[in-house]
Each structure stands twice: as C-alpha cells, then as structure tokens.
Amino acid sequence: LEVRVLVVCLHLLGGSMETANEVDPYKILGVTKSASQAEIKKVYKRLVREWHPDKNKNEGAEDMFIKITKSYEILSNEEKRTNYDRYGQTDDTQPYGHGHYGHRHDHFYFDESFFHFPFNNKGNREFADSKYALHFNQYVNDVVPDSYKRPYLIKITSDWCFSCIHIEPVWKEVVLELEALGVGIGVVDVGYERRLANHLGAHRTPSILGVINGKVTFFHYAVVKEHLRQFVEDLLPQRLVEKVTDRNDFQFLNSWHEQNKPHVLLFDQVPVVPLLYKLTAFAYKDYVQFGYVDQGLSETANLLKQFNINTYAPTMLVFKESTDKPADIIQAKGMKKQIIDEFITNNKFLLVPRLVNQKLFDELCPVKQFHRRRKYCVLLITGDEESYTIGNQAFLTFASTNTLEVVRFAYVYQRLQQSLCDILLKTKDSTPPPPQVSVFILERRNPAGKVLYKEVAGGWNGTDEDKQRLLDELERLQKDPSILNYDAMLPELNNEFASMFLIRWIYTAYDYISEILDDILHNNWREMMPLLSLIFSALFILFGTVVVQAFSDSSEDGKSKPKAKEGTKAENGSPGSSSTSSRPPKKNFVEVTELTDITYTSNLVKLRPGHMNVVLVLTDATKNVLLSKFAKEVYSFTGSLTLHFSFLNMDKHSAWMETLLEFAQDAMQIDTEEDDCARHKIDYTGYVLALNGHKKYLCLFKPVYTGEEGGSSEEEGPGGIHHKLDRLGLWMERLMEGTLPRYYIPGWPGLDKITGPK
C-alpha cells in the first residue's frame, strides 16, 4: 500500500512539473536564454499581433495571448528574469492577498485539470468575463477618459476565489441590464492584472467598484441586483436632470440663451427619472440641458396639453431657439439607448450657437481635413445690447432656412471675444471701438488658428438686401472656394463660462464629502487611506504657507522694493527680461536660433524625446531673405511645443552638412541621382532638415523653384531665392502628420564637423 501511495504521489509530482514547464516564458516566446531585450521585444510584438483575441478567433487564442503577455512581463524585467533563471519561479507562484484565497508551493502545485475545479477553469465558465477583461494600460488610456461620459462598474476577481462563484449569477444579470443602458463594464483578474488591482486599491476578492470622472468608489452592500443598480445611480452627479412642471417650464426652456444649449424634455408616467435618461444626461451634459416631466402629476397638465403629449408612450422633445415649438420629437414605448443617442447627437447644438469657448469653436467649425469636403462657418460679429436684437433675429431666421450641410452658422459678442474680432475687423487702435455688426465666412486651415476668410460686403442689419448678399456669397463659395482671399491667425477664444468654475467646484466638493462620510460609516479605512492622505497633505501645506507668511520678516518687504525697480528696468531694457515671467508671452514672431558648436548639444544631441529641430540651411548672402520667408512659412506651426527652429550657415559649417548626408545614404539614393563626386557640388541653400535628436533620424526638404505659384510681387530677393521655400508649408503639414520618409543615421556628426574653420 505504501508503495502504491508513493507511486501516485510521484505521478502527481511529475504531472505538476510538466505543467510548470509548459509556462516556460522562453519557450512561449520562442527565444533563447541569451536573447537580448531588443530581440525579446521584437518577438513579443509579432506574437501579440498574431494571437490578439480581436484578430485571432481560434479557441485557444485568448489563453495564448495571456501567456505571451505574462512571458514578456517576466523577460522584459531584469529582476524577474534573473529570479526565473535562478530559481525557476515567477511572481505568479506567490499567492495573492498573502495566501488568503489559495496557496502554491515554490516547486509543487496542484494540476487544475486533475481536480476539475469549475472556478479555475475558464473554459467551463458559463458567463465569459474575458469579454470585459481590463488591462492596466487599457484602464488608464481608455476607461478613465471614457468615465467622464459614462460610469463604469468593475469586478475584481481571481481564479481561486470561492466567493466569486456565488455572485456570478447576480453579476451576469446586472451586466446584461446595465450594459444595454450605457454603463461600462470591466473585470480585473488579479492573477493576471495585479498591478491594476493595486492601482484601484482593491485588496480582496471579490470586490465591486465604480469609476466615474476618473474617481473610484467601492460597493459595500449585499450583492443583489437592486443594490448594484442603485449603486450605479448614486455614482452619477446630482442635478443632472431638472424636474419640470407648469410652474417652472418657461424658466427652464427660456434659459437656452444664457446656457447656450438646446433643452430636452422627457415626458413619462413614472415618478422617478429613469436611469437610462440620467445616463444620457451625464453623457451629453456639456451640450444639452435635460428636464423631466412626470405625466402623473396634476401640476404638469398644462404642459401635456400645450405640446399635445400622448400619455401612452414616453415622449422626448428638443427645444432650441424657439420655446413654443420643439425643433424635433421622438415617441416610442421601448425607448432604447441607440434611439436616444442618435436623437441627441443630431440636436447637440442650437441653430445659431454663440461661440463661448475654443472647444465649441473646434466642433462647430472643424479644421479642414485632407481628402474630405470643405466645411465653412458663417460668423456674425454683433453686440449683446437690445439695439442689436432685430439684426440677430434676422440672422437666426436666415440660418434656419439653410440647406447646405457644409455650412454652419454662429455668432460672437464683440465685447466678450475682443481679440478675435480685432483680427477679423483689422482693428489696430488700442481703444475698443463700438461693436460693428459684420458677417464673415471662414474656413479653418490648421489647429494653430490659421483661417481663410471673406467679409460679406455691406455689414449686417438684417434687411432683405443683406440676406440676398449673403446668399449670393454662399452660392459663389460652392462654385469657387478661392473667393476666401484673406488669411489670418486667430487667437484662442475666451472661455465665457469660466466664472461658473466656483459653482462646479462646490458641487464636486459636496460629492466628495458625501463619499467620505459614506466610507467612514462602513469603516473602509484601507481604501480610504489615499484620499485621507491627500486631504491631510493639502491641509498641512496650506497651514504651513499661512504660518510662514505670518512670521516672515517684514524687513524683506523693504528689500524687495529696490529689487522690484531693478526688475522693471530689466523688463524694459534687458533682453533676458522675458525669462523672469512665470507665464510665457504670446509670441507674434518665430524664434529661430543659429546652430553652432555652442547650441549643438542642447538643440540636437540632447533634444528631448518627441521633440524635433527644423533647421534651415543658408549662407551669409541669402540669410536675410531666406529667414524672412522661412518665418512666414512655419509661423502657423509655432503653436506646437515639440518643434524648435534653427538655421545652419553653410559658409561656416559645410563639412557638417556633407557628413550628415553621407551618413543618411538612403536619402541621397532616393532623393538625388547624382554620383558621389557631384554630390559635394550641390548647393544646399534653401534645404530644410527636420532632425529628431533622440531617435536619430531626419526628414529632408529640397527646395523647388515655383516662381509662378509662390510669393507675391511685394517680396524681393536676389535672384528670386525666396521662392525656394514656396512649398515648405505643405512639407511642414506632412511632417506634423508623420507621412514624410525618415532617414535614420548611426549617430550625429561630431563637434569637429560643425566647428567652423579658424
């Protein structure tokens, strides 16, 4: 008998060791133990593309994908790799939660296929959590930003979790219901995503938590359907939906002008606002104001009669500039999320919204995209006084008859968006002029603010003649877009709703305090520690600042006065005064530095990752002309923080330029047909190099003479040299898109190549 028992134990041990060998990360990735990190990374990227569950529909693709990911996690970390090479164990051999939910020995563990545990066999799970599995990067890059539009319900589980089996039927039922309403669902398996579980603060399984506006809230109650549904509803901010009756309907609908939003009313017979409607209000809170009418109340009888509401089915009305007649309506017994989303999306904006911030401007008047239809914005510059009401109303009437999909109408108050209006109206006087009612047709060309535009002659008074002139211009625009014959750089719009930040902050603080009190009631101290630590740190910093200011030596005030005078002088006369400002000035020029042996290291060799230096090649004779043309061509791209601009003088550093192009042999083979002897005779004047110092590659612009297409007759230069940069703007656009060919080099030429002749 003892011999038989020994044989069985040895058989189990052998089976376990075989199972352990199956998860050899070297075998899974197909690399040797001497493979470098670059080789491992290259193989990992290829295998991930091959076995990703979204692309590979084979039955074992998901498990293989997980094995590949875990193997790369081990081998890409030198500490984990060394630990595996020496002892044959990984982090997964340690039990999660200090051995609370399962136990493994270092060199022996039970083969799950021998015992057929249902909770440890993914293939036997009736409800596949793999569809909702979250990874750390996916959570940070996708879930957190998306949580500002919809809440997420996330379950923390593990393979060896007995309690997870009991909540599975309830979880399945809740997921099927809430996902259809628009709630995001996620599942975190701590066996594979321990880093994400720790990031969320989940220290036990099972756990259920909600994420909204990037904030994590834990579920503390019994896992039943009603509690989970109420938990999701409590995650949503209060005051999302306003209760509307006969008493406040006029006030609600008439606030469209102040809030600059359409207003939506839902009529239904239930006394409580449906969760689907609350979720919709949260998703579109930046665009639409939502109200709810309970048809069962006697206080709503006049509303039902006024809008002829059918009480047998939920009805949704959207109101824009008119409060008497809805702009759109839907009515259905089964009001589904897809129907509501399509309805709201088609009515996100007023017929003629006011441009109150840059975000709204970007959505209403998007930047022209390549290979897409042009889109135009008809902009009315007007005033907010009562005397402008007639003209503004006439503009709204004209916009309501528009049938062109490529044209959007909007208006601005000159008093509130003065900098924008000054550029379009070409106002140069420092004193604000009285509001001029004008109409402009705009086409945005790039995110930096460049627009093509044309002012409609005659101004705007709302007369029939004004409407006819605008209609004629729009018809001409459809046939000939070149009528937009002016260009300008528009500044970023003022945020007219910035004053509402304090109110929003108070509401947010109220929600946080409510959650803290809720956590205190449930004694969830471990999960509260990060939040409490943040609060006490902020209070300590605030208290310390007050104490330091209170006990500071008053004599410092006297010493600071002469320093202030010196600072004033520096600001007026010193060229380095701009560096003392805490906020960078808004530049109306292009800062171009010369690439020399002094600036070589900082501007190229040690350039920050992701940054590029755009270098113009010139000579002493062409310096002034080319720099002026260069500044005009790249000015619209100076808003990018990753671009730097320099120039290289060939009279001083021709050897460095030739050495660089010798390194980039591909560039010479592709872009030129000259032999090696002729290459040194090339005139590099007007060439532009985009240099990525960190990744060691360059993009090359070769000048092409386009005198007929290029600059205006006002520009002068010796021999038309400025025409060499006529197409530089288009090249810069391709550079920002990442579509230019890149020529990699083994290293940047040494300092001896850039130092000029002595």
Side-chain angles (χ1 to χ4, degrees):
L1 180 61
E2 294 178 356
V3 173
R4 291 179 181 178
V5 171
L6 179 61
V7 170
V8 172
C9 292
L10 290 174
H11 177 72
L12 289 174
L13 180 60
S16 301
M17 296 177 71
E18 289 176 2
T19 306
N21 291 334
E22 291 178 0
V23 294
D24 184 351
Y26 292 104
K27 289 184 178 180
I28 292 174
L29 294 183
V31 297
T32 62
K33 290 193 175 183
S34 60
S36 65
Q37 288 294 336
E39 294 172 341
I40 294 173
K41 186 175 183 180
K42 183 177 180 181
V43 173
Y44 167 71
K45 289 184 176 180
R46 176 176 57 81
L47 292 176
V48 164
R49 287 194 297 266
E50 178 182 352
W51 290 98
H52 197 285
D54 293 342
K55 298 181 179 180
N56 194 325
K57 302 302 181 183
N58 294 332
E59 185 176 351
E62 181 186 348
D63 290 336
M64 187 61 184
F65 179 77
I66 294 175
K67 290 181 181 179
I68 292 170
T69 304
K70 296 301 296 183
S71 299
Y72 179 71
E73 182 181 338
I74 295 169
L75 299 185
S76 61
N77 187 301
E78 291 297 339
E79 184 178 351
K80 293 182 180 180
R81 183 177 181 180
T82 303
N83 188 48
Y84 179 82
D85 291 341
R86 290 181 179 178
Y87 308 111
Q89 60 183 10
T90 66
D91 287 349
D92 293 333
T93 60
Q94 303 299 325
Y96 181 77
H98 306 287
H100 222 40
Y101 303 102
H103 181 68
R104 282 184 177 179
H105 297 282
D106 290 342
H107 303 287
F108 177 80
Y109 56 89
F110 294 113
D111 187 355
E112 64 184 51
S113 62
F114 180 83
F115 293 98
H116 296 286
F117 286 144
F119 50 84
N120 200 29
N121 192 341
K122 289 183 172 62
N124 292 336
R125 288 181 178 175
E126 179 184 359
F127 182 57
D129 284 341
S130 59
K131 175 183 176 182
Y132 307 101
L134 290 180
H135 308 291
F136 181 83
N137 291 336
Q138 180 186 1
Y139 172 80
V140 173
N141 298 328
D142 299 335
V143 173
V144 172
D146 196 38
S147 69
Y148 288 85
K149 297 180 181 178
R150 61 171 178 165
Y152 272 78
L153 191 65
I154 299 177
K155 179 180 70 172
I156 312 296
T157 184
S158 64
D159 289 344
W160 294 93
C161 172
F162 291 92
S163 302
C164 300
I165 307 172
H166 301 296
I167 70 171
E168 193 72 18
V170 179
W171 173 258
K172 174 183 177 181
E173 185 178 1
V174 169
V175 166
L176 292 176
E177 177 186 349
L178 295 182
E179 188 178 25
L181 299 179
V183 178
I185 304 297
V187 175
V188 178
D189 191 329
V190 297
Y192 299 97
E193 286 296 332
R194 186 178 309 171
R195 179 186 178 191
L196 177 54
N198 291 334
H199 177 78
L200 294 171
H203 302 287
R204 59 175 180 267
T205 56
S207 292
I208 296 177
L209 55 92
V211 180
I212 190 168
N213 291 333
K215 182 167 64 76
V216 177
T217 303
F218 279 83
F219 175 76
H220 304 296
Y221 305 94
V223 182
V224 294
K225 178 181 176 181
E226 292 75 14
H227 290 173
L228 285 170
R229 182 185 174 93
Q230 186 61 45
F231 171 68
V232 171
E233 194 164 349
D234 292 340
L235 289 175
L236 297 170
Q238 300 182 19
R239 297 165 295 275
L240 274 175
V241 181
E242 183 176 349
K243 291 287 188 72
V244 180
T245 63
D246 296 336
R247 299 176 181 176
N248 64 342
D249 63 316
F250 178 79
Q251 179 183 359
F252 174 79
L253 295 177
N254 209 43
S255 61
W256 66 267
H257 186 269
E258 177 185 354
Q259 298 181 355
N260 200 42
K261 295 178 181 179
H263 283 55
V264 174
L265 278 180
L266 175 65
F267 293 79
D268 205 348
Q269 292 185 340
V270 293
V272 180
V273 181
L275 178 58
L276 173 60
Y277 195 56
K278 287 185 177 181
L279 291 169
T280 304
F282 180 71
Y284 297 96
K285 61 183 180 296
D286 293 334
Y287 302 97
V288 181
Q289 188 68 28
F290 291 84
Y292 180 74
V293 180
D294 181 4
Q295 299 176 356
L297 297 177
S298 58
E299 293 88 347
T300 61
N302 292 337
L303 275 173
L304 301 179
K305 183 178 179 181
Q306 179 182 356
F307 299 114
N308 194 22
I309 301 299
N310 183 353
T311 58
Y312 297 103
T315 305
M316 189 174 290
L317 309 178
V318 61
F319 296 85
K320 296 188 177 180
E321 283 85 350
S322 174
T323 59
D324 299 325
K325 182 180 179 181
D328 203 353
I329 179 173
I330 56 171
Q331 188 175 47
K333 284 189 176 181
M335 196 79 78
K336 302 296 183 182
K337 178 181 182 298
Q338 292 77 6
I339 299 176
I340 297 179
D341 285 344
E342 182 179 358
F343 179 75
I344 300 298
T345 301
N346 293 335
N347 295 282
K348 280 171 55 175
F349 303 108
L350 298 170
L351 292 176
V352 185
R354 185 171 87 254
L355 298 183
V356 295
N357 52 46
Q358 187 65 34
K359 178 183 176 183
L360 182 60
F361 188 28
D362 293 339
E363 294 196 49
L364 284 173
C365 307
V367 176
K368 176 185 178 297
Q369 301 293 331
F370 293 99
H371 310 300
R372 292 188 180 181
R373 295 183 65 185
R374 298 171 180 265
K375 294 199 173 182
Y376 305 99
C377 193
V378 181
L379 182 64
L380 172 68
I381 296 180
T382 183
D384 54 351
E385 291 82 3
E386 189 175 352
S387 57
Y388 297 95
T389 304
I390 297 177
N392 297 346
Q393 186 61 40
F395 188 73
L396 172 61
T397 303
F398 180 88
S400 62
T401 61
N402 172 58
T403 57
L404 300 175
E405 295 182 359
V406 297
V407 177
R408 283 280 180 85
F409 291 81
Y411 71 98
V412 294
Y413 287 148
Q414 184 173 351
R415 179 178 61 86
L416 301 177
Q417 301 292 344
Q418 191 66 51
S419 56
L420 170 73
C421 299
D422 287 347
I423 292 178
L424 293 177
L425 296 171
K426 294 183 171 59
T427 303
K428 298 181 180 179
D429 192 359
S430 59
T431 59
Q436 304 177 34
V437 182
S438 304
V439 176
F440 291 85
I441 303 176
L442 310 175
E443 180 190 6
R444 299 186 65 196
R445 300 296 293 180
N446 62 37
K450 182 177 181 180
V451 296
L452 301 179
Y453 71 95
K454 175 181 176 60
E455 182 178 5
V456 180
W460 181 266
N461 296 311
T463 63
D464 293 338
E465 291 78 8
D466 294 338
K467 295 179 182 179
Q468 188 60 45
R469 280 196 299 269
L470 178 55
L471 183 61
D472 293 342
E473 291 288 357
L474 292 177
E475 291 177 352
R476 287 181 56 201
L477 184 66
Q478 295 297 304
K479 300 175 183 178
D480 183 15
S482 64
I483 68 171
L484 304 181
N485 51 356
Y486 293 95
D487 65 89
M489 293 294 298
L490 298 183
E492 184 171 339
L493 268 65
N494 298 327
N495 185 2
E496 297 178 16
F497 289 158
S499 59
M500 298 179 62
F501 171 77
L502 180 60
I503 298 176
R504 295 177 182 175
W505 184 87
I506 293 174
Y507 287 157
T508 304
Y510 173 80
D511 292 334
Y512 270 99
I513 293 174
S514 300
E515 182 186 353
I516 293 173
L517 294 177
D518 182 65
D519 284 336
I520 293 175
L521 292 176
H522 291 89
N523 295 321
N524 192 17
W525 295 105
R526 190 172 188 180
E527 292 160 4
M528 284 179 58
M529 285 306 296
L531 183 60
L532 292 176
S533 175
L534 178 63
I535 293 175
F536 282 113
S537 299
L539 292 176
F540 178 78
I541 294 173
L542 180 62
F543 177 76
T545 303
V546 173
V547 171
V548 170
Q549 291 180 348
F551 290 94
S552 59
D553 190 359
S554 60
S555 62
E556 294 181 0
D557 297 336
K559 296 179 180 179
S560 63
K561 291 181 180 179
K563 290 183 179 180
K565 295 180 180 179
E566 294 175 5
T568 304
K569 293 179 181 179
E571 184 176 355
N572 295 330
S574 174
S577 61
S578 60
S579 62
T580 63
S581 175
S582 60
R583 297 180 60 186
K586 294 184 178 179
K587 298 179 180 179
N588 54 2
F589 60 91
V590 181
E591 184 176 349
V592 185
T593 59
E594 183 175 3
L595 195 63
T596 65
D597 53 341
I598 299 176
T599 62
Y600 177 70
T601 301
S602 60
N603 286 5
L604 179 59
V605 178
K606 293 186 178 181
L607 201 61
R608 294 171 58 186
H611 288 233
M612 298 191 73
N613 196 347
V614 181
V615 182
L616 169 66
V617 181
L618 47 75
T619 60
D620 288 333
T622 61
K623 181 177 180 180
N624 293 335
V625 176
L626 285 183
L627 276 179
S628 177
K629 180 68 172 178
F630 180 71
K632 292 180 181 179
E633 292 293 327
V634 304
Y635 178 73
S636 60
F637 302 92
T638 55
S640 173
L641 299 179
T642 60
L643 288 182
H644 309 271
F645 301 97
S646 303
F647 69 88
L648 180 76
N649 193 327
M650 283 294 293
D651 293 337
K652 302 176 182 177
H653 311 303
S654 59
W656 182 86
M657 180 71 177
E658 293 170 355
T659 305
L660 177 67
L661 294 183
E662 286 178 3
F663 282 172
Q665 294 180 2
D666 292 340
M668 301 306 296
Q669 293 173 2
I670 294 175
D671 294 321
T672 65
E673 297 180 355
E674 294 88 345
D675 55 19
D676 292 339
C677 295
R679 186 170 62 204
H680 295 287
K681 301 179 182 179
I682 297 176
D683 178 16
Y684 293 115
T685 304
Y687 277 53
V688 177
L689 305 171
L691 308 177
N692 189 313
H694 180 69
K695 292 189 176 181
K696 295 184 178 64
Y697 71 79
L698 62 91
C699 300
L700 182 65
F701 169 79
K702 292 185 61 181
V704 178
Y705 179 78
T706 56
E708 297 179 358
E709 304 174 3
S712 64
S713 59
E714 297 176 0
E715 296 175 315
E716 296 181 358
I721 191 69
H722 60 281
H723 288 305
K724 285 191 171 188
L725 302 180
D726 282 344
R727 297 187 182 275
L728 181 60
L730 297 176
W731 183 83
M732 288 293 298
E733 289 186 4
R734 293 185 60 196
L735 176 67
M736 299 301 292
E737 295 169 359
T739 58
L740 290 175
R742 299 176 179 180
Y743 307 119
Y744 288 86
I745 62 174
W748 299 111
L751 292 176
D752 56 329
K753 294 294 182 183
I754 196 170
T755 303
K758 297 181 181 179

